[in-house]
Amino acid sequence: MKKWNSTIKQIKDLNYDEKFVIKNLSADKRILEMHRERLSKILKDRKPEEIERQISDMVIRDNAFSMIMESIVKCFEFNMDASEVQKIADSLKTNEFYASYPAETLTKIADHIIKRDLIFSELARLWDIRVSDNEVNESLNGYYKATNESIRSYLNDKEKFENVRNVIIGEKITQEMLRRFKFTLDLKKPEENK
C-alpha cells in the first residue's frame, strides 16, 4: 500500500457486532455507466440481464461498504498532511470525471482517499491480508484472457504492477469487511418512501 505522510492511530476496537441496515440504495449514474461498460467489455459472453445483476450486486455492496466504513472511521484518529491532501486534490482536477467539481469538493474527496488508504493499510495489517506477486500475475493474465489487451506494461513497470497489487488488496479488504460486519437490506417500495 502507498506510504503517506498523513498518519492514523486506532483509538478504539472495531465493533464486529454492530448491525448495519440498508434502507435505501444510492449510486452515481456516471459510475454505474462506467462499470456497465467495463463489465460488458470483460464479460462479452454474458447476457445484458447478467451484467445488470452484477451492477445491482455492486450497488448493494458499495452501499454496505459505505455504511461499514462510516463506523470504522470512528475507531481511528487521523493527522492529515495538508500538502498531501492538496496534491491529491490537484491530481483529481486533471481527471475528466472530476473536472467540473468545485475545489472544496475535490479537497474532501482527496481527504477521503487518503483516510481510506490509511484505514486499508491498518485493516490489512490487522487481518493479515497480503497479495503475492503470483496473485498479481494471475489477475493480469485473467484480464488479458478476458480482454485480449496487452499487460506487458504492467509486467515491466514496477509502479503499475504495485498499483494492480493495491487494487487486489483493496478488493480483499472489502470482501473481508463485508464478511466480518453483518448488513441486511430493508428496502421499501418506491411508494412507501414518500
Side-chain angles (χ1 to χ4, degrees):
M1 309 251 14
K2 182 173 171 45
K3 300 292 181 219
W4 297 100
N5 293 327
S6 299
T7 60
I8 186 172
K9 178 183 173 189
Q10 190 166 354
I11 55 174
K12 64 182 182 179
D13 291 337
L14 300 174
N15 181 4
Y16 297 111
D17 295 326
E18 185 173 354
K19 304 286 188 258
F20 298 93
V21 180
I22 300 172
K23 295 189 179 207
N24 48 35
L25 298 171
S26 62
D28 185 307
K29 289 179 185 178
R30 294 183 305 165
I31 292 174
L32 290 179
E33 194 52 43
M34 284 176 16
H35 285 308
R36 189 173 285 110
E37 287 175 22
R38 182 181 57 83
L39 288 172
S40 296
K41 183 178 184 180
I42 293 171
L43 307 172
K44 296 177 215 158
D45 301 335
R46 300 283 172 89
K47 294 178 182 175
E49 51 272 10
E50 291 177 88
I51 301 285
E52 290 307 312
R53 180 67 197 155
Q54 287 208 358
I55 297 289
S56 295
D57 291 346
M58 201 177 303
V59 169
I60 292 168
R61 189 184 98 151
D62 287 352
N63 278 260
F65 172 84
S66 293
M67 289 181 81
I68 294 166
M69 275 299 280
E70 284 180 26
S71 176
I72 289 175
V73 164
K74 296 173 188 170
C75 298
F76 296 93
E77 65 182 20
F78 302 88
N79 182 9
M80 301 303 288
D81 181 305
S83 65
E84 212 167 44
V85 173
Q86 189 58 53
K87 184 178 177 182
I88 298 295
D90 290 343
S91 74
L92 291 172
K93 288 177 194 173
T94 65
N95 181 317
E96 74 177 61
F97 186 81
Y98 297 106
S100 64
Y101 284 51
E104 183 180 309
T105 301
L106 293 176
T107 300
K108 286 179 184 177
I109 294 169
D111 184 78
H112 173 81
I113 289 168
I114 295 170
K115 285 179 179 175
R116 185 199 61 217
D117 259 20
L118 291 168
I119 287 172
F120 273 26
S121 291
E122 282 299 300
L123 295 177
R125 183 189 59 74
L126 183 67
W127 296 336
D128 195 30
I129 294 175
R130 297 185 182 109
V131 173
S132 68
D133 287 354
N134 191 44
E135 287 177 274
V136 177
N137 285 320
E138 286 176 8
S139 176
L140 288 169
N141 286 328
Y143 178 78
Y144 172 72
K145 287 177 185 173
T147 65
N148 206 27
E149 290 185 17
S150 175
I151 57 171
R152 184 170 286 126
S153 67
Y154 293 95
L155 297 172
N156 295 332
D157 182 330
K158 182 155 178 60
E159 186 177 339
K160 285 184 175 183
F161 190 85
E162 291 305 314
N163 285 341
V164 173
R165 183 188 317 272
N166 288 336
V167 168
I168 298 169
I169 288 173
E171 184 59 34
K172 283 185 167 188
I173 290 168
T174 300
Q175 288 172 357
E176 188 65 16
M177 282 172 61
L178 296 174
R179 187 187 72 75
R180 288 178 182 252
F181 296 92
K182 303 303 176 210
F183 69 93
T184 56
L185 292 173
D186 183 20
L187 303 175
K188 307 285 186 233
K189 292 180 184 173
E191 62 271 5
E192 293 177 27
N193 285 334
K194 293 180 179 178

